[in-house]
Amino acid sequence: MESVKVLLKKAKKGDGEAFVALVQQYEDVLYRMASRMLTNDEDVADAMQEEILSAYERLHTLKNDAYFNTWICKILINQCNSVLNKHNHFSTIDVDVLPEQLHDDFQKLELEDALNSLNKDYKIAFILYYIVGLNSKEIGAFLKEPEGNIKSRLSRGKTLLRNNYYKSEGVFINEN
């Protein structure tokens, strides 16, 4: 497998296969991020398709190759926000599908529900930190905000989940 740097160099010269190979390296992370922001699989697929097309068209605007991961994640977040705006921030879950869900699917739904209980700023910080795996400094650079704001959002988000979401769900939280 070629390195990201080599694939980026080829993709910027118009090599479509190199771009596809590059995107495939981030496919899992991108899917997890989109599926946490959007609850409908069709919306996730639409957002990812638009994100990949947009990234290919704007690849020449990427100034620092070291930030490709951050750059492509930001495009996806913008696409997800666009989908959410189209649906007026409402999302639905197909109730008929629920009885067929496995335990992992239940946990995914619970995680999505918890994330959806947070406002947009906290939710994006949580997704980038816990799902994408960026640290608070990278998230700050990505969102063009001070690192301290990101740390604060992560801390406040945890407090909100602990005090509001999980207590309302009747979950006992061990503080030790």
Side-chain angles (χ1 to χ4, degrees):
M1 181 180 293
E2 294 183 77
S3 74
V4 171
K5 189 175 181 179
V6 172
L7 290 172
L8 264 171
K9 189 174 181 179
K10 287 181 179 179
K12 281 185 171 182
K13 290 180 180 176
D15 185 341
E17 290 182 22
F19 182 76
V20 170
L22 189 61
V23 170
Q24 285 175 335
Q25 290 188 19
Y26 295 97
E27 191 174 28
D28 289 341
V29 170
L30 295 171
Y31 176 77
R32 282 184 286 160
M33 188 168 70
S35 66
R36 296 300 186 264
M37 291 186 72
L38 307 169
T39 55
N40 182 323
D41 286 340
E42 292 171 9
D43 290 342
V44 170
D46 287 345
M48 288 187 65
Q49 186 176 17
E50 289 297 320
E51 174 257 344
I52 291 169
L53 182 63
S54 180
Y56 186 71
E57 290 173 349
R58 295 189 294 169
L59 188 59
H60 67 280
T61 65
L62 177 63
K63 294 177 183 166
N64 187 342
D65 292 351
Y67 295 114
F68 176 76
N69 181 22
T70 306
W71 180 77
I72 199 165
C73 286
K74 188 165 190 168
I75 292 172
L76 182 59
I77 287 172
N78 289 337
Q79 291 299 330
C80 289
N81 285 334
S82 176
V83 169
L84 289 171
N85 287 335
K86 283 181 190 172
H87 297 299
N88 295 323
H89 301 280
F90 291 106
S91 60
T92 60
I93 297 173
D94 186 0
V95 182
D96 295 331
V97 176
L98 287 177
E100 299 174 12
Q101 300 291 322
L102 299 175
H103 182 68
D104 289 344
D105 291 336
F106 178 75
Q107 288 178 332
K108 179 183 174 194
L109 290 174
E110 187 175 347
L111 175 63
E112 287 173 0
D113 192 36
L115 286 173
N116 287 334
S117 73
L118 298 172
N119 78 26
K120 183 179 163 185
D121 291 337
Y122 294 131
K123 183 177 177 180
I124 289 174
F126 266 63
I127 289 170
L128 292 174
Y129 188 81
Y130 290 107
I131 297 172
V132 177
L134 299 178
N135 64 37
S136 56
K137 185 176 181 178
E138 292 169 326
I139 296 170
F142 177 67
L143 297 175
K144 296 181 180 164
E145 295 187 25
E147 182 181 1
N149 286 2
I150 303 306
K151 287 181 178 178
S152 178
R153 282 183 195 160
L154 292 171
S155 177
R156 285 186 195 151
K158 285 182 203 173
T159 302
L160 287 170
L161 287 176
R162 185 180 315 118
N163 293 339
N164 298 334
Y165 178 77
Y166 286 112
K167 280 190 178 175
S168 71
E169 295 293 316
V171 176
F172 174 74
I173 300 170
N174 186 358
E175 299 277 340
N176 296 327

